[in-house]
Amino acid sequence: MSPAKLVIALTKGRILDEVLPLLEQAGVTPQEDIRNSRKLLFDSNLPNVRLMVIRGSDVPTYVELGSADIGIAGKDMILEYGSQGFYEPLDLKLARCRLMTAAAVGARLDGPRLRVASKFVNIAKRFFAEQGRQVDIIKLNGALELAPLMGLADCIVDIVDTGKTLKAHGLESRDWIADVSTRVIVNRAAMKIKHAEVQALLQRLQQAVERQQVV
Ligand code: PRP
């Protein structure tokens, strides 16, 4: 019997640059230069594996709805998507950072109703609801650091890595929300129906992650 076909949805951008070498170690290489192509769908060296390159925020959608069997995306995108509709069997330990709240250095955030700017609106809503705080969420798509500076919001929910971006804008991190790294997610039906192929790939990726940790 020929192996089941697998579609892997990859996150474009920085994550792709880090994931491609790991995939290569796991035995999967795109048939053409995936980083410098306008195409979105690629054949790989394996006749049964195809690769899609999409925005990280769309990876969970494709995987949950089954148009991709496997997805590779940041934990921030998975948390923002918010569904439990797929498995998350593997942490690739790449692109590690934290989701934090941040505000102007020394600013008091004890007003009755906080204005929170973020591109992670679902994460922000959940976090402040768990804190029992009334907040107004303001959706932005980037450059979040400007929001407190320009008086648009009292605080932001954003990715923090080195903390340099916050510092450069007179901001400081406040509450930790989650650790973020690149994760592998798997469609629930594919995990059963394409078990052998999915498990083989997960195992090879796991070995590649372990080798990477040792280096
Ligand atoms: C993220 C985040 C911050 C920055 C934090 O942006 O939004 O701007 O990284 O990194 P630091 O703590 O090391 O300074 P990213 O570069 O991912 O681009 P984005 O604005 O598209 O999210």
Side-chain angles (χ1 to χ4, degrees), residues 118-150:
S118 189
K119 55 182 175 186
F120 305 104
V121 293
N122 296 325
I123 292 170
K125 268 184 207 156
R126 281 201 302 271
F127 175 74
F128 286 102
E130 280 162 18
Q131 308 277 308
R133 288 211 67 171
Q134 294 265 3
V135 294
D136 291 319
I137 306 280
I138 301 162
K139 162 85 179 173
L140 291 178
N141 294 302
L144 299 177
E145 299 81 13
L146 275 178
L149 279 184
M150 302 310 290

Side-chain angles (χ1 to χ4, degrees), residues 169-185:
H169 294 88
L171 305 178
E172 61 186 3
S173 57
R174 296 284 177 95
D175 295 318
W176 172 91
I177 300 177
D179 286 330
V180 171
S181 57
T182 306
R183 310 291 167 96
V184 178
I185 58 176

Side-chain angles (χ1 to χ4, degrees), residues 14 119 145 158-165:
R14 222 176 327 164
K119 55 182 175 186
E145 299 81 13
D158 199 8
I159 294 293
V160 180
D161 179 13
T162 61
K164 284 182 186 164
T165 310

